[in-house]
Amino acid sequence: MLARFLKDEGVEYIYGYPGGAALHIYDALFRQDDVKHILVRHEQAATHMADGYARASGKPGVVLVTSGPGATNAVTGIATAYMDSIPMVVLCGQVASHLIGEDAFQETDIVGVTRPIVKHSFSIRHPSDIPTVLKKAFYIASSGRPGPVVVDIPKDMTAPTERYEYVYPRKVKLRSYNPVSRGHTGQIRKAVELIMSARRPVIFAGGGVITGRASEALTALAHRLNLPVITSLMGLGAFPQNDPQSLGWPGMHGSYESNMAMHNSDLVLGVGVRFDDRVTNNVTRFCPDARIVHIDVDPSSISKTVQADVPIVGAADNVLNEMLNQIGQRTEAQEPLDEWWETINAWRDERRGKLYEPAAAGEPLKPQQVVEAVHRVTHGDAYVVTDVGQHQMFAAQYYKFNQPNRWISSSGLGTMGFGLPAAMGIKLNYPDEHVVLFTGEGSFQMMMQELSTCKQFGIPVKIVNLNNASLGMVRQWQDLNYKSRHAHSYMESLPDFEKLIEAYGFKAITVRTAEELEPALEEAFRSRDELVFLDIHVDPREHVYPMQVPQGAMCDMLLSKTERT
Amino acid sequence: MRHIISMLLENEPGALSRVIGLFSQRNFNIETLNVAPTDDPTLSRLTVTTNGDERIIEQITKHLNRLIDVVKLVDLTEGAHIERELMLVKVKAQGSARDEVKRTADIFRAQIVDVTPSVYTVQITGDANKMDAFLQAVTPLGVLEVARTGVSGIARGDKVLSI
Ligand SMILES: Cc1ncc(C[n+]2csc(CCOP(=O)(O)OP(=O)(O)O)c2C)c(N)n1
Ligand SMILES: [Mg+2]
């Protein structure tokens, strides 16, 4: 019943790992060919694979794990998806109903464990409920503000001896769940009023624009009114970065011009963003002159951290199109923005060419230049996946995204180990595309067992290991806040990555100098169906800049080791 | 400010823990909590009293509404409403205190519902202030045990919370 439902729901791949409580389900999967199961090497990887696929496709990723340790291993991946509002359905085996509550072998109350990190969860109580419960799970996971849904399935619910009539439920009805789509027309009118009369407006677009497939509407609105566009990290690609109106992303390590522009703006049009603390810095000093218009499908996101002057609950696409509509009918002119653009361009000029110093001959490579080089060889249209740390920030700063769904990174939870499996989930579903993972030797070692999965299923991702032989981001904080006392932030006894990768039967190239970089990249990216691991040794002393000063306003930044705003 | 938030909740296992978990997870405070079935067997009614400024209360109601098990919700303190709580108190009742407890109970229109040679069990209903006042009055006499139901409430007039 479960396997048939997955097929009818259009699920092509599920990611998982078997165990006692899930064996009936595995047997059902074995006896069909429509839904393909990818066997990972750790359940956390299954959730990240599903997550990567969901971020790239907008569709829910599906995970299957067994009870107890199988389910608890999935917890980090569920939390990762929850923090970034990623649609996911996690099917967990459970001990048989009559054993629940008895501390039976491999029993964990996974619904209880995951309660604060799921959008919703279900326990199957009768086998005949499976299709409707699963339909609800998929619907809840992927509608409104998406998120992970856990379905707990006691073993006796999937017993093959019992037979029930199966009908695929085309529709679901939930009396207490009706995500809004259309925004309030009056509120939208107020918002348009504010935008048209603003002298220093900015758009601040987030992941909601990507999940809500509203990039086109956003771009149209930005062009129509000549507005500067800042996207959050989650929103990278929601507005093309090669557009002159793009200012990049703001926040702790955001671009100088975006932090300056947002801080000095008189109107922030937030679309599908949650104004999180990594963006706002000290909220009490956030955008002192700005009125805030905030569009979000989730009412609880609005005025959570930053008070909105004009809240609009609705789907981004719908609301933005309604704005365009209303603007089209207006006769009054918009405030001219020439002066504002002059100011912004002056900020841009201030930092142009000063972002980092490329390595001189004989010096270790700078991670930034590696990202720029990868951007060049992939023509800026790869799927770019990252782990967490300095390399993640460098990838976000120096790879430029012109399309949505191409930047794949754990933003809210910042999960080291996310990268490799997420990249695999994407490559599997988009085999003709380049999928590049930027990782660090720290993060990579958290999920490197998945190379074995790559081998089994032939998943040729490109891995760029920005190897600084240290937990770089931690080290940076220790340099800045702890007088360079590097407590456990460096990695002694790193493996010989070349040998390690070769042990799995893949190609590895070690790069130490600028001269070696270009040829190695050429070789690595020549084909799309070979896994290549680039172990690129980069300068361990490099810091990520700009960096906002703790407790300051958005515009308070360190710009390099010696400069400060 | 103190708010009384009342909601209709799917009568499903786990629904209650989602509501309570939300409060602890987001650092919202619960003063009292009361849950019981309604006339509709698929729904329970849950009432919580909580404290917070307007912003916090707005966040609480938004997050509660986001829970899929919460079908409908009302902040009773936004309008005219009736608030009731029931309390059972065991008070020492020996010697002169015996009369004193009885008198105090009469003043508060409370009832003595169980009697032993040394203890009166008093039942009292009313709003939270009345409960507190009664407790204050009998504390010097020796309170042995207190059981309160937590606040329940309903809007005045024609307004109803139903689906
Ligand atoms: C699972 C997990 N544990 C710890 C952290 C804290 N943390 C953030 S960045 C970082 C260092 C990452 O090192 P590496 O992957 O080598 O990247 P680098 O910063 O050196 O580029 C650590 C330990 C985290 N984000 N995730
Ligand atoms: Mg590192």
Side-chain angles (χ1 to χ4, degrees):
Chain A
M1 195 120 72
L2 202 142
R4 268 175 75 183
F5 175 86
L6 293 176
K7 174 190 166 219
D8 289 345
E9 186 66 21
V11 174
E12 191 182 354
Y13 288 108
I14 66 173
Y15 315 93
Y17 207 87
L23 284 183
H24 294 329
I25 305 173
Y26 271 90
D27 192 53
L29 289 172
F30 187 82
R31 289 186 282 119
Q32 56 87 54
D33 311 307
D34 297 302
V35 181
K36 293 180 225 74
H37 178 269
I38 303 296
L39 177 73
V40 290
R41 299 300 182 260
H42 185 297
E43 289 86 352
Q44 184 184 337
T47 55
H48 294 327
M49 274 188 93
D51 180 321
Y53 162 69
R55 287 178 203 244
S57 69
K59 293 185 207 143
V62 186
V63 176
L64 172 60
V65 294
T66 189
S67 66
T72 54
N73 268 354
V75 167
T76 300
I78 297 171
T80 304
Y82 180 73
M83 285 295 272
D84 288 344
S85 307
I86 304 303
M88 180 185 291
V89 175
V90 183
L91 310 171
C92 297
Q94 180 58 280
V95 300
S97 322
H98 70 279
L99 294 173
I100 289 180
E102 295 184 359
D103 296 328
F105 177 64
Q106 297 199 326
E107 178 188 354
T108 302
D109 172 13
I110 197 64
V111 166
V113 169
T114 57
R115 191 195 44 71
I117 50 165
V118 294
K119 184 167 171 189
H120 196 55
S121 41
F122 294 96
S123 293
I124 306 272
R125 300 198 175 266
H126 195 275
S128 61
D129 294 343
I130 289 176
T132 32
V133 169
L134 289 185
K135 186 72 196 177
K136 283 181 190 170
F138 276 82
Y139 171 60
I140 291 171
S142 52
S143 55
R145 178 177 179 180
V149 175
V150 163
V151 184
D152 199 34
I153 312 173
K155 188 165 182 181
D156 48 323
M157 297 298 124
T158 50
T161 47
E162 299 206 30
R163 312 221 149 248
Y164 295 92
E165 197 194 348
Y166 167 86
V167 187
Y168 174 71
R170 290 202 177 280
K171 276 209 183 110
V172 263
K173 252 199 12 234
L174 283 155
R175 61 178 168 186
S176 56
Y177 177 71
N178 298 297
V180 277
S181 52
R182 291 176 47 91
H184 188 279
T185 321
Q187 290 292 89
I188 295 176
R189 188 166 307 120
K190 270 198 231 164
V192 168
E193 203 83 43
L194 282 182
I195 299 164
M196 302 282 278
S197 58
R199 289 162 177 275
R200 301 187 309 277
V202 294
I203 290 182
F204 177 35
V209 175
I210 293 178
T211 28
R213 303 190 180 279
S215 290
E216 236 173 84
L218 178 87
T219 309
L221 180 73
H223 286 164
R224 173 76 178 69
L225 297 180
N226 191 27
L227 302 174
V229 182
I230 295 166
T231 68
S232 73
L233 258 184
M234 282 300 295
L236 266 186
F239 185 78
Q241 286 193 280
N242 62 4
D243 189 298
Q245 281 169 238
S246 163
L247 306 191
W249 51 278
M252 177 165 283
H253 293 299
S255 72
Y256 176 71
E257 54 266 33
S258 69
N259 279 337
M260 294 302 282
M262 206 144 136
H263 180 79
N264 289 288
S265 67
D266 65 353
L267 179 105
V268 176
L269 170 58
V271 193
V273 276
R274 57 190 182 90
F275 291 93
D276 101 314
D277 54 284
R278 279 289 185 271
V279 166
T280 59
N281 209 359
N282 183 346
V283 252
T284 59
R285 305 173 70 182
F286 175 72
C287 294
D289 302 333
R291 308 265 234 141
I292 311 285
V293 176
H294 192 172
I295 306 168
D296 208 293
V297 264
D298 178 4
S300 71
S301 257
I302 300 177
S303 301
K304 183 172 64 183
T305 57
V306 169
Q307 193 68 29
D309 296 289
V310 182
I312 304 174
V313 179
D317 188 37
N318 219 299
V319 175
L320 292 172
N321 278 316
E322 175 60 21
M323 280 186 167
L324 279 162
N325 210 350
Q326 289 192 13
I327 291 164
Q329 292 162 10
R330 284 175 67 109
T331 43
E332 315 84 291
Q334 182 191 359
E335 279 291 322
L337 300 180
D338 305 342
E339 239 178 80
W340 180 223
W341 273 112
E342 270 170 39
T343 315
I344 290 173
N345 287 329
W347 283 322
R348 282 172 159 163
D349 291 339
E350 253 180 79
R351 298 305 303 163
R352 207 185 298 281
K354 293 191 200 157
L355 296 177
Y356 73 95
E357 278 186 44
E363 272 185 26
L365 275 162
K366 298 287 176 169
Q368 299 93 324
Q369 73 188 97
V370 177
V371 177
E372 288 192 313
V374 173
H375 181 261
R376 275 197 303 278
V377 288
T378 56
H379 311 291
D381 66 14
Y383 283 89
V384 174
V385 187
T386 76
D387 264 304
V388 173
Q390 289 184 320
H391 63 272
Q392 175 188 33
M393 294 297 112
F394 290 134
Q397 288 177 334
Y398 293 95
Y399 204 98
K400 302 291 172 195
F401 296 86
N402 300 324
Q403 294 172 70
N405 306 95
R406 295 272 162 160
W407 160 254
I408 312 286
S409 188
S410 164
S411 307
L413 199 67
T415 308
M416 289 172 69
F418 169 83
L420 177 61
M424 290 158 57
I426 298 167
K427 183 68 185 176
L428 193 67
N429 287 278
Y430 300 92
D432 300 332
E433 305 278 346
H434 271 314
V435 179
V436 187
L437 166 65
F438 286 102
T439 186
E441 75 304 313
S443 298
F444 186 72
Q445 290 187 91
M446 284 209 179
M447 275 285 132
M448 65 184 181
Q449 78 284 347
E450 295 307 318
L451 287 169
S452 173
T453 309
C454 291
K455 186 172 180 184
Q456 181 177 357
F457 296 95
I459 309 175
V461 292
K462 309 289 179 194
I463 303 167
V464 178
N465 186 31
L466 292 175
N467 187 346
N468 53 8
S470 62
L471 301 175
M473 190 54 98
V474 173
R475 182 189 161 110
Q476 172 167 350
W477 281 55
Q478 290 168 336
D479 283 340
L480 295 170
N481 302 332
Y482 301 91
K483 302 204 171 117
S484 295
R485 291 190 298 274
H486 295 148
H488 293 269
S489 59
Y490 53 95
M491 303 281 260
E492 286 150 336
S493 61
L494 281 175
D496 178 334
F497 281 107
E498 242 182 75
K499 278 197 189 137
L500 179 78
I501 301 302
E502 281 162 7
Y504 284 99
F506 296 124
K507 179 192 280 183
I509 308 172
T510 306
V511 175
R512 288 194 176 78
T513 63
E515 299 76 61
E516 290 168 355
L517 181 63
E518 297 285 338
L521 290 177
E522 288 299 331
E523 187 180 344
F525 287 93
R526 198 176 301 135
S527 99
R528 284 168 204 236
D529 38 48
E530 183 186 24
L531 188 151
V532 183
F533 183 99
L534 293 157
D535 187 25
I536 305 185
H537 294 233
V538 294
D539 189 346
R541 287 157 309 172
E542 196 59 23
H543 284 178
V544 184
Y545 291 112
M547 180 172 183
Q548 280 173 341
V549 177
Q551 292 312 313
M554 282 187 86
C555 61
D556 297 325
M557 288 171 270
L558 305 175
L559 298 173
S560 68
K561 285 186 182 172
T562 53
E563 300 162 283
R564 189 186 159 142
T565 52
Chain B
M1 222 191 76
R2 177 170 169 273
H3 284 248
I4 305 172
I5 300 170
S6 207
M7 68 207 79
L8 296 173
L9 198 62
E10 294 285 358
N11 197 0
E12 294 274 344
L16 180 60
S17 72
R18 288 198 183 93
V19 172
I20 294 169
L22 174 72
F23 276 80
S24 62
Q25 176 188 353
R26 303 222 174 239
N27 233 345
F28 300 144
N29 119 310
I30 298 187
E31 273 190 2
T32 72
L33 172 76
N34 168 286
V35 206
T38 63
D39 55 325
D40 177 344
T42 67
L43 292 173
S44 342
R45 182 165 177 140
L46 182 151
T47 304
V48 339
T49 55
T50 181
N51 260 305
D53 59 23
E54 286 314 305
R55 259 186 86 169
I56 292 182
I57 300 299
E58 186 184 329
Q59 278 299 309
I60 292 177
T61 54
K62 281 174 167 178
H63 280 286
L64 284 169
N65 265 317
R66 200 163 79 137
L67 293 178
I68 287 160
D69 291 324
V70 172
V71 183
K72 226 169 177 182
L73 172 154
V74 62
D75 180 352
L76 289 171
T77 17
E78 274 179 358
H81 63 279
I82 299 158
E83 164 190 346
R84 286 292 178 274
E85 188 174 355
L86 184 144
M87 176 167 71
L88 298 168
V89 194
K90 280 192 175 168
V91 193
K92 274 193 204 154
Q94 274 169 320
S96 64
R98 209 163 168 90
D99 276 353
E100 184 61 25
V101 174
K102 175 81 179 77
R103 258 197 307 277
T104 315
D106 287 345
I107 293 168
F108 281 85
R109 284 191 227 179
Q111 293 147 297
I112 296 174
V113 291
D114 193 36
V115 181
T116 72
S118 56
V119 172
Y120 274 156
T121 302
V122 183
Q123 167 189 316
I124 176 168
T125 53
D127 62 13
N129 287 336
K130 186 172 164 190
M131 307 287 115
D132 294 341
F134 179 75
L135 273 181
Q136 222 170 15
V138 293
T139 298
L141 304 171
V143 171
L144 298 167
E145 185 179 349
V146 177
R148 293 171 73 153
T149 58
V151 171
S152 182
I154 205 159
R156 281 193 185 274
D158 294 340
K159 260 204 301 197
V160 290
L161 178 66
S162 70
I163 51 169

